[in-house]
Amino acid sequence: MVRNGLLVFPNLTQLDLTGPYEVLARLPGAETLLLWKSCDPVRSEHGLTILPDTTLADCPPLDLVLVPGGAGINPLLEDRDVLAFLRRAAATARYVVGICTGSLVLGAAGLLRGKRAGTHWMSREMLRAFGAEPVAERVVVDGKLFTGGGVTAGIDVALTVAAEIAGRAAAEAIQLAIEYDPAPPFDAGSPERAEPGLVTDVLNRAATRQRDRAERVARAAQALG
């Protein structure tokens, strides 16, 4: 049996969580727990409400700990309780997973030093503040650390972890069961291929959040020493 612990928090990007959840919960014999400070409902950034299974304080030992991303990671970068929990969980976990900007939270917990890591393209360079080497790949594996690109890349990361846990055949069976066979209608899923004007527009809309994130990353990195 493998026990997965997936962090939930206010204003997370729900697909960062639910995509990997759909994969990891299908592992043979898996127990998959949603974790937060309380068991009260948690509202994602666009309104989907998620119910945690257990609290950080009551969380049992984990084989896998996963942090999703989203706008709500900004406060977590300086949340001592969350960062302390992640350090404890990661010390004994066999797999440490960061989805999208969840990787930055792992960095703020001191878990990325000297590691290759990925995250959403808008925040990739922020990984350097935590001593990581940013990698522009959809899935990045460095030892027991599994990270990758933004949002939808979380499914790829989770399938990669699933293959490590249960073997390629089991991971492929999960992929087939969820019919994960992406063929997007547009070729605008990365800043390298999207029209420059579209990239500028997306960056402008995210500017306030990104400024706040950069400031918090700098403080979190300073706190690590």
Side-chain angles (χ1 to χ4, degrees):
M1 187 193 82
V2 60
R3 180 181 287 136
N4 307 310
L6 283 59
L7 189 70
V8 299
F9 50 88
N11 294 320
L12 82 161
T13 296
Q14 63 85 13
L15 189 55
D16 286 4
L17 174 77
T18 54
Y21 185 100
E22 193 65 38
V23 172
L24 297 172
R26 290 172 180 263
L27 283 166
E31 179 186 13
T32 303
L33 302 174
L34 298 178
L35 317 171
W36 184 230
K37 295 179 181 182
S38 75
C39 289
D40 296 332
V42 174
R43 186 185 185 279
S44 69
E45 62 184 342
H46 296 299
L48 183 69
T49 300
I50 300 166
L51 192 65
D53 296 302
T54 190
T55 66
L56 303 183
D58 293 334
C59 180
L62 300 171
D63 298 293
L64 178 151
V65 59
L66 179 149
V67 184
I73 70 112
N74 287 18
L76 298 190
L77 295 168
E78 300 177 278
D79 189 315
R80 293 182 181 180
D81 293 337
V82 170
L83 300 180
F85 166 78
L86 291 174
R87 283 190 285 268
R88 292 195 305 272
T92 54
R94 295 158 54 201
Y95 310 97
V96 177
V97 185
I99 305 299
C100 191
T101 51
S103 299
L104 294 175
V105 184
L106 296 177
L111 301 174
L112 298 188
R113 289 192 184 101
K115 298 289 188 178
R116 299 171 71 251
T119 191
H120 192 282
W121 62 271
M122 283 193 222
S123 299
R124 191 179 298 136
E125 284 303 307
M126 296 183 191
L127 291 167
R128 295 190 189 279
F130 299 122
E133 177 188 344
V135 180
E137 294 176 6
R138 197 158 172 87
V139 179
V140 183
V141 181
D142 191 331
K144 71 176 185 179
L145 177 69
F146 292 74
T147 58
V151 192
T152 59
I155 298 174
D156 300 56
V157 174
L159 285 167
T160 304
V161 179
E164 288 288 324
I165 294 171
R168 177 169 176 164
E172 288 182 341
I174 293 170
Q175 180 179 358
L176 180 58
I178 64 174
E179 199 175 351
Y180 180 56
D181 188 23
F186 312 111
D187 190 21
S190 78
E192 290 78 22
R193 296 194 304 275
E195 292 292 330
L198 178 61
V199 176
T200 299
D201 181 57
V202 170
L203 286 171
N204 286 341
R205 282 185 278 147
T208 300
R209 181 198 66 209
Q210 291 299 105
R211 281 195 298 271
D212 176 64
R213 181 169 296 164
E215 292 169 1
R216 290 176 183 270
V217 164
R219 291 195 297 266
Q222 186 175 31
L224 285 174

